[in-house]
Amino acid sequence: EPSLYAVKAIIILDNDGERLFAKYYDDTYPSVKEQRAFEKNIFSKTHRSDSEIALLEGLTVVYKSSIDLYCYVIGSAHQNELMLTAVLNCLFDSLSQMLRKNVERRALLDNMEGLFLAVDEIVDGGVILESDPQQVVHRVAVRGEDVPLTEQTVSQVLQSAKEQIKWSLLRW
């Protein structure tokens, strides 16, 4: 039965199968213990495989690996694999642009806020919102500029002050 709720989960694991990021959009796996067991299962079935799709536990799993990361997008068994792959590619390409083509564990951990914003731009509550990585990166950058003053670095505050002074002088 067709549904807007295409994505059941987005998961990123490191090369040891440990969770770096996981967002579940339904209660297929309601407890953290069940989620971790599922993540271990998909990692053990996919980390040595060259394919990009698997059917596990009645779910469609599309995945991609890069250096020491494994990115997974999970949907129901009846979900169109091409739609799930579009989400996966959008996430991966967005991360690649945000991390300046350095899609690996250390860079990802240093930019977790960007990952959270990107995932929220791509999927909301299991509904696919965006599949264009350019749009996602643009929106993440715009949302990143709205950081409260207390959370900005000194250089960001100084840069912002310089721009405000420049604009106030240009108005004269």
Side-chain angles (χ1 to χ4, degrees), residues 29-78:
Y29 300 98
S31 72
V32 174
K33 185 178 179 183
E34 290 172 303
Q35 291 173 3
R36 297 266 183 184
F38 174 68
E39 292 163 16
K40 292 247 184 270
N41 185 21
I42 62 171
F43 181 75
S44 68
K45 299 272 196 278
T46 60
H47 79 284
R48 290 195 179 118
S49 173
D50 287 336
S51 64
E52 298 175 346
I53 185 167
L55 289 170
L56 291 168
E57 300 182 20
L59 298 170
T60 303
V61 178
V62 294
Y63 58 97
K64 185 180 264 194
S65 64
S66 169
I67 305 173
D68 57 358
L69 295 178
Y70 291 84
C71 299
Y72 299 90
V73 175
I74 291 105
S76 74
H78 307 294

Side-chain angles (χ1 to χ4, degrees), residues 3-167:
S3 171
L4 282 176
Y5 301 97
V7 179
K8 289 190 172 285
I10 295 176
I11 303 168
I12 299 177
L13 305 176
D14 66 11
N15 59 351
D16 296 322
E18 295 298 319
R19 177 194 288 191
L20 298 176
F21 174 85
K23 189 157 188 177
Y24 289 82
Y25 296 103
D26 68 0
D27 55 354
T28 304
Y29 300 98
S31 72
V32 174
K33 185 178 179 183
E34 290 172 303
Q35 291 173 3
R36 297 266 183 184
F38 174 68
E39 292 163 16
K40 292 247 184 270
N41 185 21
I42 62 171
F43 181 75
S44 68
K45 299 272 196 278
T46 60
H47 79 284
R48 290 195 179 118
S49 173
D50 287 336
S51 64
E52 298 175 346
I53 185 167
L55 289 170
L56 291 168
E57 300 182 20
L59 298 170
T60 303
V61 178
V62 294
Y63 58 97
K64 185 180 264 194
S65 64
S66 169
I67 305 173
D68 57 358
L69 295 178
Y70 291 84
C71 299
Y72 299 90
V73 175
I74 291 105
S76 74
H78 307 294
Q79 189 55 52
N80 184 335
E81 298 87 9
L82 295 175
M83 286 181 62
L84 296 176
T85 302
V87 171
L88 177 65
N89 289 336
C90 180
L91 174 64
F92 196 84
D93 294 346
S94 298
L95 287 175
S96 181
Q97 288 180 39
M98 291 182 336
L99 302 175
R100 293 174 180 78
K101 306 259 187 268
N102 190 23
V103 183
E104 51 94 23
R105 185 179 191 270
R106 178 87 255 133
L108 184 71
L109 291 174
D110 289 342
N111 193 20
M112 286 300 279
E113 71 280 357
L115 169 63
F116 285 112
L117 290 172
V119 169
D120 287 345
E121 289 294 334
I122 297 167
V123 177
D124 182 30
V127 177
I128 300 169
L129 298 178
E130 186 62 70
S131 61
D132 180 7
Q134 298 290 341
Q135 289 294 320
V136 172
V137 170
H138 175 71
R139 288 186 189 136
V140 167
V142 168
R143 286 172 69 177
E145 291 171 5
D146 297 334
V147 177
L149 192 61
T150 56
E151 294 180 20
Q152 291 183 2
T153 64
V154 173
S155 61
Q156 287 173 318
V157 171
L158 289 174
Q159 184 62 35
S160 177
K162 285 179 189 175
E163 288 179 24
Q164 289 178 0
I165 291 170
K166 179 176 75 174
W167 284 109

